[in-house]
Amino acid sequence: MRWRKVLKEMSPYTPGKSIEEVKAMYGLEDIIKLASNENPYGASDVVNEQLSPQAVDLEIYPDGYAGKLRTTIASELEINENQLLFGSGSDEIIVIIARALLGEGTNTIVATPTFPQYKHHALIEGAEVKEIPLIDGEHDLDGFLEAIDHNTSVIWLCSPNNPTGNLIKQDQLTAFLEQVPERILVVLDEAYYEYVVDEHYIDTVELIHKYKNVLILRTFSKAYGLAALRVGYAIGDQSLITPLNTTRSPFNVTSLSLALAEKAFADKAFIEKCRTLNRAQMERFYAYAEQHGLHIFDSQANFVLLQVPVSATVATEELLKQGYIVRSGDALGTPGYIRVTVGTAEQNDGFFKAFDTLLEGAGSLK
């Protein structure tokens, strides 16, 4: 096989251990997964009510235009329907962007650490990747501007950023966009948008009317609790959406996924409940970190990046033994920290007890 040479230098995405794996490894019955930033409250009841054998006609191809969901979201956001692109999760939209705009002779600019799939797919397409280190968990936008050259094609901004949870401040974002050449696509990944409570946050959809080179990514995988269904969407000017739609596979989102996403999008009360519960539980993490002298990043997402008293890999393994799956910072580019999804009150009670045990035994684990 004549594989692309870059694939020899790369590795497939490695997810955290599954609940079944941890049960088998440690002989545990109850496992709490706090590693992948899924919604611990599940999905809306209206979604579950829609799940039935009659929900879709299985023999019929999906609506490639995502007509009903498109109309619903466009109406809510007060934009034209031709300003939306749908994908099998926002992950697929990242692939579409890389395929359409990146290749040999181009470069792309990303923060580090951030969501790794931006870099991953840029490398597959043969593009150069310029990585700009975060400053105290936040994007160094001045560093981004300095890195731009005539070959720059795409800039990736993750806000709130994964894995730190930091939000790009609106005044900094708009000042940045004013200086980015219009020929460069700026992707603003807002996978955790629904969790944001920062009072200074302004809905970024307003930006696409002024900045024609801005594309916003959102997903149903996080706050809506539909990670298994894989539905994401992009919002941008039609001049961006049309060529990206041309790159998209014709039936890339399943009929069931579209139908359930439409139901989920309409249930505003569920999202508000999840946002409120998430923030209340996150405050407990801040209090716990302060009590024990641990650093924790300011997060506007549904996860925290928490300092650990031993190596991140050791801490992750010790928590696994107690039935808690978290993400090691060694795998995320943040050594000395773990990323923890903010769970329910009961889940977090158990996590803090497990972490107490970690703190007590830290001396013997180093």
Side-chain angles (χ1 to χ4, degrees):
M1 297 290 182
R2 301 180 65 180
W3 300 109
R4 291 190 178 191
K5 293 180 180 179
V6 70
L7 294 180
K8 297 179 181 179
E9 305 167 6
M10 301 172 67
S11 301
Y13 174 75
T14 304
K17 288 184 172 61
S18 69
I19 290 174
E20 290 72 20
E21 286 179 297
V22 177
K23 283 183 177 180
M25 287 173 64
Y26 298 110
L28 299 172
E29 290 296 326
D30 297 320
I31 305 296
I32 304 299
K33 185 184 177 190
L34 300 174
S36 301
N37 307 335
E38 296 135 334
N39 189 338
Y41 305 101
S44 165
D45 288 341
V46 298
V47 170
N48 294 321
E49 291 168 2
Q50 180 73 12
L51 282 170
S52 70
Q54 293 77 36
V56 296
D57 296 316
L58 297 180
E59 75 281 7
I60 303 298
Y61 279 109
D63 174 8
Y65 185 68
K68 290 184 178 180
L69 183 59
R70 179 183 297 274
T71 299
T72 299
I73 294 179
S75 177
E76 173 76 18
L77 300 181
E78 297 183 344
I79 60 175
N80 293 325
E81 292 189 9
N82 57 22
Q83 292 181 284
L84 290 168
L85 171 75
F86 292 90
S88 178
S90 52
D91 291 323
E92 189 199 17
I93 300 178
I94 293 170
V95 176
I96 291 171
I97 293 167
R99 185 180 182 189
L101 287 164
L102 296 175
E104 293 184 6
T106 68
N107 68 60
T108 187
I109 305 174
V110 303
T112 184
T114 192
F115 187 52
Q117 294 302 293
Y118 313 141
K119 176 181 177 179
H120 185 87
H121 292 290
L123 290 175
I124 290 176
E125 297 299 334
E128 176 191 2
V129 179
K130 297 185 176 184
E131 297 183 84
I132 310 300
L134 299 174
I135 299 178
D136 297 328
E138 299 187 358
H139 285 65
D140 176 10
L141 296 182
D142 289 336
F144 272 62
L145 291 172
E146 292 174 4
I148 292 174
D149 63 25
H150 64 282
N151 290 326
T152 303
S153 186
V154 181
I155 291 173
W156 305 89
L157 305 177
C158 187
S159 182
N161 185 51
N162 181 5
T164 58
N166 294 72
L167 184 73
I168 299 176
K169 296 178 178 61
Q170 289 304 307
D171 57 343
Q172 295 176 352
L173 178 59
T174 53
F176 174 74
L177 293 175
E178 285 290 335
Q179 300 176 73
V180 176
E182 293 182 359
R183 63 177 176 77
I184 298 174
L185 177 67
V186 179
V187 181
L188 184 59
D189 189 344
E190 293 191 327
Y192 301 93
Y193 150 77
E194 290 84 3
Y195 288 109
V196 174
V197 297
D198 190 312
E199 61 182 8
H200 301 296
Y201 176 79
I202 300 173
D203 191 346
T204 50
V205 174
E206 298 175 9
L207 297 175
I208 68 171
H209 303 299
K210 182 176 181 180
Y211 304 101
K212 306 298 185 183
N213 60 332
V214 171
L215 188 74
I216 300 166
L217 304 188
R218 292 182 180 173
T219 182
F220 284 87
S221 296
K222 303 303 181 183
Y224 289 98
L226 303 183
L229 294 179
R230 315 308 301 127
V231 185
Y233 60 102
I235 312 160
D237 189 76
Q238 185 179 1
S239 62
L240 302 177
I241 298 297
T242 297
L244 292 175
N245 234 338
T246 303
T247 311
R248 176 185 63 84
S249 298
F251 305 110
N252 59 329
V253 184
T254 71
S255 298
L256 181 61
S257 297
L258 291 170
L260 298 184
E262 183 185 355
K263 293 289 184 180
F265 191 79
D267 193 348
K268 306 303 180 188
F270 176 75
I271 294 299
E272 180 61 33
K273 181 188 79 169
C274 292
R275 178 166 47 241
T276 301
L277 291 171
N278 177 74
R279 182 49 49 174
Q281 290 303 312
M282 186 171 288
E283 293 298 332
R284 296 181 63 195
F285 277 86
Y286 292 147
Y288 185 89
E290 182 177 5
Q291 177 186 354
H292 295 285
L294 301 169
H295 180 253
I296 188 171
F297 286 85
D298 179 22
S299 176
Q300 289 290 316
N302 71 331
F303 58 84
V304 294
L305 193 62
L306 177 65
Q307 186 182 17
V308 288
V310 292
S311 80
T313 298
V314 170
T316 300
E317 190 70 20
E318 291 302 310
L319 290 169
L320 269 180
K321 294 176 182 177
Q322 299 184 69
Y324 289 87
I325 307 175
V326 299
R327 194 72 161 151
S328 169
D330 291 337
L332 300 172
T334 55
Y337 290 80
I338 57 172
R339 192 188 67 195
V340 188
T341 304
V342 176
T344 64
E346 182 180 4
Q347 290 172 341
N348 296 333
D349 286 344
F351 172 79
F352 292 136
K353 289 180 181 178
F355 204 95
D356 286 342
T357 302
L358 178 65
L359 290 172
E360 293 165 3
S364 63
L365 294 172
K366 292 181 179 179

